[in-house]
Amino acid sequence: MKLNMNKKVDFATEEIAHRIRSKFDSKGILALNLISSPGSGKTTLLERTIEGYKGQYNVAVIEGDPETNRDARRLERLQIPVAMINTSGTGASCHLSPYQVEQAVEELPLEELQLVFIENVGNLVCPAAYDLGEHVKVLLFSVPEGCDKPGKYPLAFRVSNLVIINKMDLAPYCDFDLEALKKDALAVNPKLEFIIMSLKTGDGLQEWFAWIEKKLKKARKKH
Amino acid sequence: MKLNMNKKVDFATEEIAHRIRSKFDSKGILALNLISSPGSGKTTLLERTIEGYKGQYNVAVIEGDPETNRDARRLERLQIPVAMINTSGTGASCHLSPYQVEQAVEELPLEELQLVFIENVGNLVCPAAYDLGEHVKVLLFSVPEGCDKPGKYPLAFRVSNLVIINKMDLAPYCDFDLEALKKDALAVNPKLEFIIMSLKTGDGLQEWFAWIEKKLKKARKKH
């Protein structure tokens, strides 16, 4: 009985994700779902991205957090629309669900937007299992987390389009083997792309912007 | 209807946790539940702890991982009993449940043991919500994760007895404010204890062993 219930829910979530994506497509919006462990740098990456696109693209963020609105407040300072979702008390506080994202999308001024980022709850397990109606999943990984993560959290690497390897400035202090990490990640998902980044030094940000541009062009062609 | 189901399950899990703890108590075993983000150093901490107690205490580990047995294999090299639980495919792959732990405990040679470590799935959200029959919850936090975590993942800090702040050797490169972190954590849980650690340099390990000894004495008094 429990299994049947899960199946029903999964079917429903797929439908909702499809509906969300169609809505984005109809406006030529590119939607990106950011997944990472706690503290990998998702909110900082978003701050830099929003600052970088100021005056060029209108960006909004759907922000998932278990209990607080700290990240949402950090982003609202940049004067963009932020739809906040507190997952705690929903029975599944460890990830955003398409149900929640669909409600959040209703709050956004879609006519004015080109980019929507979904900042998922900091967790490498369950967020990887949900299609939230995004066009691409971006896995933000940070050097101190260790090179064994593609093997240990394979689903997150399997479903992502891009892995950003952040905090590269810490590599000299962390016994970090970039080639081993890439090899393990590609074994799980041969189509993965990588960007090496340090949000502290700014390395990799231009490459990130170029990657987004490429995806945004595709989204606009559909429009 | 969904809510009622959850309530039933919660009631059942509490009972199971109680049953597990009684079993440990009857043998004078101390059980510790380790919670952290991916890559904070749980398995490395266990390796050092098992090595440190070699010839003094018999240690076993209940090891939770979404898909692989990499951590379990790391620990089995130390020739201790390891009960492996793969959470993937269970419908809740992001944490260990008391159901799973009770089955794992059946596999352990309890008569010979003094310490049982439960290495939870790397995740700060859901593992904090489950009593697995342990005596103490230990939150392993690593410096690069950032000082805002007690505010963002308050439940994990609220339910823990001890926070180990690991990778302290990286603090000079991470804009890390130890006092701010402690203050925020104590605001959530005024009874929290802290150990500052670097598994790279070995700093803090003696303090960790002393903390365990203190708790183990209590567990043996109950026996």
Side-chain angles (χ1 to χ4, degrees), chain B residues 197-212:
Chain B
M197 193 176 275
S198 164
L199 286 167
K200 204 171 183 180
T201 66
D203 284 352
L205 272 174
Q206 289 313 314
E207 211 179 327
W208 165 238
F209 289 133
W211 192 87
I212 292 175

Side-chain angles (χ1 to χ4, degrees), chain A residues 1-2 5-6 37-39 43 65-68 70-71 74 91 93-94 119 121-126 144-145 148-149 151-155 158 167 169-170 172-175 184 200, chain B residues 1-2 5-6 37-39 43 65-68 70-71 74 91 93-94 119 121-126 144-145 148-149 151-155 158 167 169-170 172-175 184 200:
Chain A
M1 204 184 100
K2 208 181 166 191
M5 267 196 68
N6 282 343
S37 295
T43 313
D65 245 326
E67 298 199 29
T68 64
R70 289 189 178 204
D71 287 350
R74 276 175 67 183
S93 51
C94 57
E119 182 176 354
V121 176
N123 175 4
L124 279 188
V125 189
C126 300
E145 292 171 46
D148 59 344
K149 293 305 165 287
K152 290 193 60 188
Y153 301 90
L155 186 62
R158 204 173 294 138
K167 305 194 189 178
D169 51 289
L170 293 178
Y173 319 108
C174 291
D175 308 320
D184 277 9
K200 204 171 182 181
Chain B
M1 204 185 96
K2 209 180 166 194
M5 269 198 64
N6 282 342
S37 295
T43 313
D65 245 327
E67 298 198 29
T68 63
R70 290 190 176 204
D71 287 349
R74 276 175 67 182
S93 51
C94 58
E119 183 177 352
V121 177
N123 175 5
L124 279 188
V125 189
C126 300
E145 293 171 45
D148 59 344
K149 293 304 165 289
K152 290 193 59 191
Y153 301 89
L155 186 62
R158 204 173 293 139
K167 305 194 188 177
D169 50 289
L170 294 178
Y173 318 109
C174 290
D175 308 319
D184 277 9
K200 204 171 183 180

Side-chain angles (χ1 to χ4, degrees), chain A:
Chain A
M1 204 184 100
K2 208 181 166 191
L3 269 170
N4 286 339
M5 267 196 68
N6 282 343
K7 269 188 194 165
K8 260 193 217 164
V9 171
D10 283 346
F11 183 65
T13 59
E14 271 175 37
E15 264 191 15
I16 298 172
H18 182 74
R19 213 151 63 202
I20 298 170
R21 194 158 28 246
S22 300
K23 199 168 228 176
F24 287 138
D25 285 344
S26 73
K27 313 286 180 194
I29 293 171
L30 175 69
L32 306 96
N33 182 356
L34 292 189
I35 293 174
S36 86
S37 295
S40 300
K42 287 191 300 304
T43 313
T44 306
L45 176 65
L46 284 180
E47 286 173 334
R48 298 293 165 79
T49 308
I50 294 158
E51 284 161 5
Y53 280 139
K54 201 144 202 153
Q56 187 183 0
Y57 296 128
N58 292 326
V59 180
V61 177
I62 296 169
E63 177 62 48
D65 245 326
E67 298 199 29
T68 64
N69 62 354
R70 289 189 178 204
D71 287 350
R73 278 180 303 177
R74 276 175 67 183
L75 296 171
E76 277 171 344
R77 265 180 235 136
L78 301 170
Q79 296 176 303
I80 58 148
V82 178
M84 176 71 211
I85 300 168
N86 271 142
T87 56
S88 193
T90 62
S93 51
C94 57
H95 62 273
L96 284 174
S97 77
Y99 300 93
Q100 296 162 333
V101 171
E102 189 171 45
Q103 286 178 290
V105 169
E106 293 294 324
E107 293 178 33
L108 298 178
L110 295 184
E111 295 296 339
E112 302 162 17
L113 298 175
Q114 288 83 44
L115 290 167
V116 172
F117 290 93
I118 303 167
E119 182 176 354
N120 223 311
V121 176
N123 175 4
L124 279 188
V125 189
C126 300
Y130 288 85
D131 180 353
L132 301 179
E134 73 277 351
H135 298 98
V136 286
K137 280 193 177 72
V138 177
L139 177 58
L140 188 58
F141 172 85
S142 68
V143 163
E145 292 171 46
C147 300
D148 59 344
K149 293 305 165 287
K152 290 193 60 188
Y153 301 90
L155 186 62
F157 287 82
R158 204 173 294 138
V159 298
S160 293
N161 303 83
L162 172 70
V163 175
I164 296 178
I165 301 170
N166 188 28
K167 305 194 189 178
M168 201 57 193
D169 51 289
L170 293 178
Y173 319 108
C174 291
D175 308 320
F176 184 69
D177 185 341
L178 178 62
E179 293 314 313
L181 177 86
K182 278 184 169 178
K183 198 182 149 201
D184 277 9
L186 288 169
V188 165
N189 177 359
K191 287 185 180 171
L192 260 183
E193 297 180 77
F194 299 91
I195 293 177
I196 313 301
M197 193 175 277
S198 164
L199 286 168
K200 204 171 182 181
T201 66
D203 284 353
L205 272 174
Q206 289 315 312
E207 212 179 326
W208 165 237
F209 289 133
W211 192 86
I212 293 175
E213 297 284 332
K214 204 174 60 187
K215 299 289 175 189
L216 186 57
K217 259 187 202 159
K218 272 193 198 167
R220 287 181 153 183
K221 266 187 198 156
K222 281 186 205 163
H223 177 40

Side-chain angles (χ1 to χ4, degrees), chain B residues 83-206:
Chain B
M84 175 72 209
I85 301 168
N86 270 141
T87 56
S88 193
T90 62
S93 51
C94 58
H95 62 273
L96 285 174
S97 77
Y99 300 93
Q100 297 163 332
V101 171
E102 190 171 45
Q103 287 177 290
V105 168
E106 294 294 324
E107 292 178 35
L108 298 178
L110 295 185
E111 296 296 338
E112 302 163 16
L113 299 175
Q114 288 82 44
L115 290 167
V116 172
F117 290 92
I118 303 167
E119 183 177 352
N120 222 310
V121 177
N123 175 5
L124 279 188
V125 189
C126 300
Y130 288 85
D131 180 352
L132 301 180
E134 73 277 351
H135 298 98
V136 286
K137 279 193 175 75
V138 177
L139 176 58
L140 188 58
F141 172 86
S142 68
V143 163
E145 293 171 45
C147 300
D148 59 344
K149 293 304 165 289
K152 290 193 59 191
Y153 301 89
L155 186 62
F157 287 82
R158 204 173 293 139
V159 298
S160 293
N161 303 83
L162 172 70
V163 175
I164 296 178
I165 301 170
N166 187 28
K167 305 194 188 177
M168 200 58 193
D169 50 289
L170 294 178
Y173 318 109
C174 290
D175 308 319
F176 184 69
D177 185 339
L178 178 61
E179 293 314 312
L181 177 86
K182 278 185 170 178
K183 199 182 147 199
D184 277 9
L186 288 169
V188 165
N189 177 359
K191 288 186 180 170
L192 261 182
E193 296 180 78
F194 299 91
I195 292 177
I196 314 301
M197 193 176 275
S198 164
L199 286 167
K200 204 171 183 180
T201 66
D203 284 352
L205 272 174
Q206 289 313 314

